[in-house]
């Protein structure tokens, strides 16, 4: 049963923003409708138990996949999670590879991000004061370590570094674009990793991306190029493993944060009150 957010609403400590295959991975689920200053999130937030922890889940594209990458309500999603008590966020997603070394089925944990989107709302601090948040290392080091260790323990050796370039979408890249991205040394390509990561940073949340490679990008392999059919097939073939790693990471994440993420707003006068 869905409820409106209130003083008595359920809370969670860890958030997961994911897609197909993650809609029913929690136990004892309660749906919560959360109002934010940026509108509603992609869907009501599902809160339940996973690996003994309280977890909040938001389907990134909506449960009916109605939001294309450039229309996802990113600000509402991250704000809703924080308002429910979440301080650590996992972002599993499907990506393409910009190197033949990382073929379909690879699990990658990037440590850098390059933004090639345009027109997306990517800050909470638009009015009242200039807020400059450090983003030199966009992902939580504790979360990245937990993902790498959990994946190895499950027998799935991850690629534990790399740069994710995020494009506007919803179209896939041309071969020329793909080759140019690869020439920059970037290794992964996706459509949803930004502005999720920077919005998490602006809310002093930990954010970790788990990237499942579903294809070699258009400029890396000859042939017909990337197709949605191929992406969905490879994602479906690996979703059980990805869910298992997410569950293990949820269990492994610390209850007290000692990473740099909680202190990124220290000493900054914010023009708005965070939830």
């Amino acid at each position: 049963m869905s409820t409106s957010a209130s003083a008595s609403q359920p809370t969670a400590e860890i958030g997961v923003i994911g897609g197909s295959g993650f809609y029913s991975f929690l136990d004892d689920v309660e749906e919560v409708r959360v109002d934010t200053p940026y509108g509603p999130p992609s869907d009501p937030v599902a809160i339940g138990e996973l690996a003994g922890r309280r977890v909040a889940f938001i389907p990134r594209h909506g449960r009916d996949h109605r939001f294309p990458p450039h229309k996802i309500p990113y600000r509402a999603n991250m704000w809703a999670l924080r308002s429910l008590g979440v301080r650590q966020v996992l972002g599993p997603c499907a990506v393409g590879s910009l190197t033949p070394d990382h073929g379909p089925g690879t699990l990658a944990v990037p440590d850098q991000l390059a933004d090639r989107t345009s027109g997306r709302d990517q800050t909470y601090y638009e009015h009242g004061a200039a807020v400059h948040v450090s983003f030199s290392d966009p992902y939580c080091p504790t979360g990245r370590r937990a993902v790498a260790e959990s994946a190895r323990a499950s027998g799935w050796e991850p690629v534990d570094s790399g740069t994710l370039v995020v494009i506007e979408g919803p179209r896939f890249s041309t071969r020329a674009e793909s080759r140019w991205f690869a020439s920059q040394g970037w290794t992964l390509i996706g459509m949803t990793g930004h502005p999720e990561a920077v919005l998490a940073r602006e809310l002093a949340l930990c954010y970790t991306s788990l990237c499942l490679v579903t294809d070699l990008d258009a400029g890396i392999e000859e042939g017909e190029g990337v197709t949605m059919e191929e992406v969905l097939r490879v994602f479906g073939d690996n979703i059980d493993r990805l869910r298992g790693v997410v569950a293990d990471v949820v269990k492994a994440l610390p209850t007290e944060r000692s990473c740099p993420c909680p202190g990124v707003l220290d000493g900054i006068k914010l023009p708005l009150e965070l939830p």
Side-chain angles (χ1 to χ4, degrees), residues 46-105:
I47 297 180
E49 297 286 334
L50 180 64
R53 310 286 290 273
R54 294 286 290 171
V55 175
F57 171 72
I58 295 178
R60 185 182 280 118
H61 296 276
R63 69 187 67 191
D64 57 358
H65 219 81
R66 65 189 179 278
F67 293 112
H70 63 301
K71 293 294 186 181
I72 292 170
Y74 294 102
R75 290 194 295 183
N77 287 348
M78 303 308 294
W79 190 275
L81 289 177
R82 182 178 166 100
S83 72
L84 293 169
V86 167
R87 294 297 181 267
Q88 300 180 84
V89 180
L90 301 175
C93 60
V95 301
S97 173
L98 293 168
T99 168
D101 295 337
H102 307 335

Side-chain angles (χ1 to χ4, degrees), residues 125-262:
Y125 307 121
E126 297 179 302
H127 309 287
V131 175
H132 305 288
V133 177
S134 176
F135 200 52
S136 55
D137 296 299
Y139 303 111
C140 175
T142 299
R144 292 185 60 253
R145 184 166 56 251
V147 173
E149 291 176 353
S150 296
R152 289 192 183 102
S154 74
W156 195 3
E157 183 63 31
V159 175
D160 61 2
S161 64
T163 297
L164 171 64
V165 55
V166 184
I167 62 174
E168 181 69 1
R171 68 170 178 83
F172 294 119
S173 301
T174 66
R175 296 188 195 279
E177 290 168 334
S178 180
R179 290 167 183 147
W180 181 72
F181 297 151
S183 74
Q184 305 308 301
W186 304 337
T187 52
L188 305 165
I189 182 168
M191 299 180 188
T192 59
H194 182 84
E196 273 186 5
V198 71
L199 293 173
R201 181 61 51 85
E202 288 196 343
L203 296 178
L205 303 177
C206 299
Y207 182 87
T208 306
S209 183
L210 297 83
C211 296
L212 173 63
V213 174
T214 57
D215 58 89
L216 295 177
D217 209 47
I220 309 305
E221 185 177 52
E222 296 301 326
E224 66 178 4
V226 182
T227 67
M228 197 63 197
E229 180 182 12
E230 177 188 10
V231 169
L232 293 176
R233 179 186 61 78
V234 176
F235 194 85
D237 289 345
N238 290 275
I239 186 59
D240 288 341
R241 285 205 298 176
L242 187 57
R243 273 198 305 250
V245 169
V246 169
D248 291 342
V249 175
V250 164
K251 185 176 182 180
L253 287 174
T255 55
E256 298 292 333
R257 297 190 292 165
S258 59
C259 58
C261 308

Side-chain angles (χ1 to χ4, degrees), residues 20-58:
S20 301
F22 282 91
Y23 299 151
S24 58
F25 77 127
L26 300 177
D27 296 323
D28 301 321
V29 173
E30 180 176 1
E31 282 194 347
V32 181
R33 295 188 181 277
V34 183
D35 295 323
T36 83
Y38 309 96
S42 296
D43 251 320
V45 184
I47 297 180
E49 297 286 334
L50 180 64
R53 310 286 290 273
R54 294 286 290 171
V55 175
F57 171 72
I58 295 178

